[in-house]
Amino acid sequence: MPNLNPYKADLHIHTVLSPCGDLEMSPSNIVRRALERGLDMIAITDHNTTRQVKVTQNIGKSQGLFVLGGVEVTSQEEAHCLAFFSNDEQLDQFQSFLDQHLPPIPNDEDRFGYQLIVDENEEIVGEEEYHLLNAIDVDIDGIYEEVHRIGGLFIPAHVNKGSTSLTSQLGFVPPDLKADGLEINKFVTKDDFLKKNAYLKRFGFITDSDAHFIDNVGDVYNIIYMEHRTFDEFHLALKGIDGRYIDTDTFRSKKI
């Protein structure tokens, strides 16, 4: 059996690049707040873009915080889905996919908010031209296939939520869904969710803050029991391999 360690992880965080993200959600502020909340691991999951991931990873690495590269994709069904990747090459490949499939509709900053790319010093170095909250023109299965072709992990987001989820858009989570796990939000426990959806017990689960404001980083988190803080170990924990597992229910909504 491997020597497992508990890691506190919030795997659904938006930066200032998401139009719904607060202007305080710069990479440096997110890393600072994550460390203040005692997190060992976070994931950056902006809407339909990965372009703020690498700078956050660099800041996190310099301060001992593991930052998993991710994105929150809006499918053709308008369901939100998380995708996670292990390296820069995979992130770049998926960004090219997003660039091809996001509708070229300009962002309305007055209506939706800014979509800013900032560096380690919180200086603006660019912005996304097209509105990131729109659905891409690829369905759930197509996104899964592309994520897996690249080598990533696919996890439909906040599946119990009353909007922008599989449940809200389809009325249920399909029994034959192709996914590596499911995310639930803070309003339901895994046990209570599975009481009503026992057919989904084959999946591993995560729960996260979905933070858009700096004070919400780490409000909800997982304890992931794995050997090291790596993409591969997270994947094994999702599958429950060799005693690895993810505790989603014990450490919910605790304030510091």
Side-chain angles (χ1 to χ4, degrees):
M1 289 288 292
N3 182 26
L4 303 181
N5 302 293
Y7 295 106
K8 184 175 174 182
D10 183 354
L11 303 177
H12 189 163
I13 297 174
H14 294 270
T15 77
V16 69
L17 182 50
S18 292
C20 47
D22 189 73
L23 290 176
E24 290 189 14
M25 294 294 278
S26 67
S28 58
N29 278 343
I30 290 170
V31 169
R32 174 186 56 78
R33 184 58 175 163
L35 293 171
E36 289 175 353
R37 299 303 297 270
L39 296 176
D40 302 297
M41 176 176 173
I42 65 171
I44 297 302
T45 54
D46 282 311
H47 289 289
N48 290 325
T49 181
T50 68
R51 289 193 169 97
Q52 200 70 86
V53 168
K54 295 175 187 177
V55 64
T56 314
Q57 289 179 322
N58 291 336
I59 296 170
K61 185 175 182 180
S62 70
Q63 300 186 40
L65 179 71
F66 180 70
V67 180
L68 185 63
V71 60
E72 184 172 23
V73 189
T74 304
S75 74
Q76 195 171 50
E77 300 91 343
E78 296 194 0
H80 290 182
C81 306
L82 300 173
F84 300 107
F85 301 97
S86 65
N87 56 54
D88 289 353
E89 181 180 355
Q90 291 181 357
L91 285 167
D92 291 343
Q93 287 186 56
F94 198 69
Q95 185 61 56
S96 295
F97 170 79
L98 292 170
D99 290 341
Q100 293 172 26
H101 294 286
L102 182 71
I105 301 172
N107 183 45
D108 183 343
E109 293 178 349
D110 293 332
R111 183 178 179 187
F112 298 110
Y114 294 100
Q115 300 182 158
L116 303 177
I117 303 170
V118 300
D119 65 13
E120 291 91 340
N121 300 313
E122 302 190 350
E123 294 185 0
I124 298 171
V125 295
E127 60 183 302
E128 289 279 9
E129 177 183 2
Y130 299 134
H131 184 52
L132 294 172
L133 294 181
N134 285 316
I136 68 171
D137 61 357
V138 182
D139 64 13
I140 290 280
D141 288 341
I143 296 170
Y144 169 88
E145 295 296 341
E146 179 63 13
V147 170
H148 268 242
R149 184 190 70 79
I150 293 170
L153 296 173
F154 178 80
I155 300 177
H158 42 62
V159 293
N160 62 300
K161 188 178 177 182
S163 62
T164 64
S165 71
L166 283 175
T167 302
S168 70
Q169 301 311 109
L170 304 181
F172 61 99
V173 178
D176 59 349
L177 176 71
K178 293 183 287 186
D180 297 294
L182 299 174
E183 184 196 50
I184 52 176
N185 65 20
K186 66 180 179 180
F187 297 109
V188 69
T189 66
K190 175 183 172 182
D191 288 344
D192 286 343
F193 181 79
L194 287 177
K195 285 178 183 177
K196 297 180 179 179
N197 303 278
Y199 69 98
L200 298 175
K201 64 182 180 180
R202 66 186 174 94
F203 288 109
F205 283 78
I206 60 174
T207 187
D208 306 292
S209 70
D210 192 5
H212 292 71
F213 297 89
I214 201 69
D215 287 343
N216 297 128
V217 172
D219 273 0
V220 181
Y221 55 89
N222 311 271
I223 299 293
I224 306 179
Y225 291 84
M226 52 188 176
E227 280 196 90
H228 312 288
R229 295 176 294 175
T230 65
F231 173 91
D232 289 338
E233 281 289 310
F234 170 54
H235 189 187
L236 292 173
L238 265 178
K239 292 183 174 296
I241 301 297
D242 290 338
R244 298 172 180 83
Y245 70 99
I246 300 176
D247 186 339
T248 63
D249 290 342
T250 305
F251 305 90
R252 305 171 69 83
S253 299
K254 289 191 175 182
K255 300 285 186 178
I256 292 179

